[in-house]
Amino acid sequence: MRTFPLISAGVKKTTEKTLTVVNKYNNEAFATVYLASKEEILQCIQKAHATRRQMRETNPGQRAEILQNLHNLITDSFDEFADLICKEAGKPITAAKAEVNRCLYTLDEAIKEASLGSPDGTWREHATGDERHSLLIRRFPVGVASFITPFNFPLNLVMHKVAPAIVAGCPFVLKPSRKTPLCSLRLGELLLECGMPEGSFSVLTTAEYSPFVSDERIKVVSFTGGAKAGWGIKEQAVKQNVVLELGGNAACIVDREVNDLDEIADRICAGAFGYSGQSCISVQRVLVHESLYDSLCTKLVAGAQKFNEKQGDPASEDTKLGPLISEDEAKRIEEWVNEAVSSHNGKILCGGKRHGNIYDATFITEVDRDAKVCAREAFGPIATVHKFSDFNEAIEIANDSEFGLQVGVFTNNLGKSYYAYENLEVGGVVMNDIPSSRVDMQPYGGVKDSGCGREGVRYALDHLTDIRVMVSKNITSYKE
């Protein structure tokens, strides 16, 4: 069985306590990782804190070189990372490979940003009467960053935190999900070879939360995960910048003014059932104009059937629907669907069965909007379908949620596109595609219970850096 050491302040390390990582499809143990104690975490934070100046003084070229080195090493290890994602997360191998490619793209964007130097550096002048002031405005790294990452994208969502930290010049400590820690630990091993200042980063699997959140030497906490845990972190992190990427129950609106219903149905199914719906922007609520409702429902059933016909081992290139992260999660989805039918008027259009840790690709119609399958984040391969008669009604239904991450809108009407953009209470509106579409360079994040702050390399820098101004009075040209 393969073992993965901790990366403790830039050093590979083992401990007495271990955690076994299982293949999420067959539940067979295939790797062992080591668990960091609270004392170990605090030591790593201290060492990261001690490297602040070293990190700050790395120049743009050095930071870009570190990132390019990491890009090269991940490229050389492409198949290894895809295999780790497939096994530890249960993600179909085709989607696992796509995640590695996205990680490399995220690094490409980071290399570009690092090459630019200080973000938003500006020079301004202001004159009042005989006095003249010149302002040099730059951004500087805040200091130690703390990253807590989820199970569902164990490589790319980690890179969305690590790469901007390197661009900004921030030392960091990373706590990956204990369900999927292997990609992070392997990434840490590769980063040791890239030229990072000694002691400037750590990758620590642990059950401990508090040091990553409340230690005052940490200046920014970036968390991706559930809403309850996220807002709890924000309450503890009193003096830190906090970025929260939390849940969603994303809506997808299909207006009557569209062209290709077959393509739209395929895209909705991809967004609802890809990686068994385990994404915070998975399609969960499909809102369809009444004139298209029956026709689209027929096509959605056909699309879901394609997923249900190819359930199984995510290591197979043919598999389209793999396991959920655990059988407990599959059982939870089963309970929610049963409750939707028994207590909230729901009718199963297709699917609706559990097979161990795999749940069918499932569409539910006519269900009450306060049912869990609508109102809460499902994080599984289920979606509800609702009809509307007026576009304003569709916007209101989409907004009827505690969450506000992304919404997809299919329409050929430019006026409705802008109306949706201006009135949807979300962080992102995706026109003529599903809400599950995320461009890795975009400002990504939500409102309401979906979190605060934004990711995407350029936008993450706003939280990892502080503005500093130098005011110079009456600077004149030098003369002998």
Side-chain angles (χ1 to χ4, degrees), residues 57 94 129 229 293 333 444:
E57 291 180 350
T94 52
Y293 183 82
I333 294 296
Y444 177 78

PDB file of all heavy atoms in Angstrom, residues 57 94 129 229 293 333 444:
ATOM      1  N   GLU A  57       9.990  39.018  -0.668  1.00  0.00           N
ATOM      2  CA  GLU A  57      11.110  39.520  -1.451  1.00  0.00           C
ATOM      3  C   GLU A  57      11.411  38.692  -2.699  1.00  0.00           C
ATOM      4  O   GLU A  57      12.288  39.066  -3.481  1.00  0.00           O
ATOM      5  CB  GLU A  57      12.349  39.607  -0.554  1.00  0.00           C
ATOM      6  CG  GLU A  57      12.225  40.703   0.502  1.00  0.00           C
ATOM      7  CD  GLU A  57      13.449  40.814   1.405  1.00  0.00           C
ATOM      8  OE1 GLU A  57      14.318  39.911   1.343  1.00  0.00           O
ATOM      9  OE2 GLU A  57      13.523  41.802   2.167  1.00  0.00           O
ATOM     10  N   THR A  94     -12.444   9.949 -17.203  1.00  0.00           N
ATOM     11  CA  THR A  94     -12.471  11.023 -18.207  1.00  0.00           C
ATOM     12  C   THR A  94     -12.595  12.390 -17.526  1.00  0.00           C
ATOM     13  O   THR A  94     -11.944  13.355 -17.937  1.00  0.00           O
ATOM     14  CB  THR A  94     -13.630  10.817 -19.185  1.00  0.00           C
ATOM     15  OG1 THR A  94     -14.851  10.632 -18.445  1.00  0.00           O
ATOM     16  CG2 THR A  94     -13.396   9.591 -20.064  1.00  0.00           C
ATOM     17  N   GLY A 129      -3.278  74.159  -5.133  1.00  0.00           N
ATOM     18  CA  GLY A 129      -2.498  75.386  -4.970  1.00  0.00           C
ATOM     19  C   GLY A 129      -1.040  75.150  -5.339  1.00  0.00           C
ATOM     20  O   GLY A 129      -0.723  74.632  -6.410  1.00  0.00           O
ATOM     21  N   ALA A 229     -20.209  24.777   8.077  1.00  0.00           N
ATOM     22  CA  ALA A 229     -18.806  24.843   8.494  1.00  0.00           C
ATOM     23  C   ALA A 229     -18.187  26.176   8.100  1.00  0.00           C
ATOM     24  O   ALA A 229     -17.421  26.771   8.868  1.00  0.00           O
ATOM     25  CB  ALA A 229     -18.026  23.686   7.869  1.00  0.00           C
ATOM     26  N   TYR A 293     -42.217  22.400 -21.856  1.00  0.00           N
ATOM     27  CA  TYR A 293     -42.067  21.510 -20.705  1.00  0.00           C
ATOM     28  C   TYR A 293     -42.134  20.028 -21.093  1.00  0.00           C
ATOM     29  O   TYR A 293     -41.215  19.254 -20.783  1.00  0.00           O
ATOM     30  CB  TYR A 293     -43.136  21.847 -19.670  1.00  0.00           C
ATOM     31  CG  TYR A 293     -43.055  21.039 -18.393  1.00  0.00           C
ATOM     32  CD1 TYR A 293     -42.174  21.385 -17.384  1.00  0.00           C
ATOM     33  CD2 TYR A 293     -43.883  19.928 -18.209  1.00  0.00           C
ATOM     34  CE1 TYR A 293     -42.104  20.647 -16.203  1.00  0.00           C
ATOM     35  CE2 TYR A 293     -43.825  19.189 -17.043  1.00  0.00           C
ATOM     36  CZ  TYR A 293     -42.939  19.545 -16.041  1.00  0.00           C
ATOM     37  OH  TYR A 293     -42.875  18.812 -14.890  1.00  0.00           O
ATOM     38  N   ILE A 333     -29.249  10.725  -0.218  1.00  0.00           N
ATOM     39  CA  ILE A 333     -29.961  11.097  -1.440  1.00  0.00           C
ATOM     40  C   ILE A 333     -31.234  10.259  -1.578  1.00  0.00           C
ATOM     41  O   ILE A 333     -32.313  10.771  -1.931  1.00  0.00           O
ATOM     42  CB  ILE A 333     -29.053  10.906  -2.670  1.00  0.00           C
ATOM     43  CG1 ILE A 333     -27.887  11.891  -2.636  1.00  0.00           C
ATOM     44  CG2 ILE A 333     -29.848  11.060  -3.968  1.00  0.00           C
ATOM     45  CD1 ILE A 333     -28.291  13.346  -2.734  1.00  0.00           C
ATOM     46  N   TYR A 444     -14.988  33.930  -9.325  1.00  0.00           N
ATOM     47  CA  TYR A 444     -15.936  32.869  -8.980  1.00  0.00           C
ATOM     48  C   TYR A 444     -16.260  32.921  -7.499  1.00  0.00           C
ATOM     49  O   TYR A 444     -15.369  32.898  -6.645  1.00  0.00           O
ATOM     50  CB  TYR A 444     -15.338  31.501  -9.332  1.00  0.00           C
ATOM     51  CG  TYR A 444     -16.212  30.337  -8.944  1.00  0.00           C
ATOM     52  CD1 TYR A 444     -17.313  29.995  -9.713  1.00  0.00           C
ATOM     53  CD2 TYR A 444     -15.944  29.595  -7.798  1.00  0.00           C
ATOM     54  CE1 TYR A 444     -18.134  28.934  -9.360  1.00  0.00           C
ATOM     55  CE2 TYR A 444     -16.750  28.524  -7.434  1.00  0.00           C
ATOM     56  CZ  TYR A 444     -17.849  28.196  -8.220  1.00  0.00           C
ATOM     57  OH  TYR A 444     -18.653  27.157  -7.863  1.00  0.00           O
TER      58      TYR A 444
END
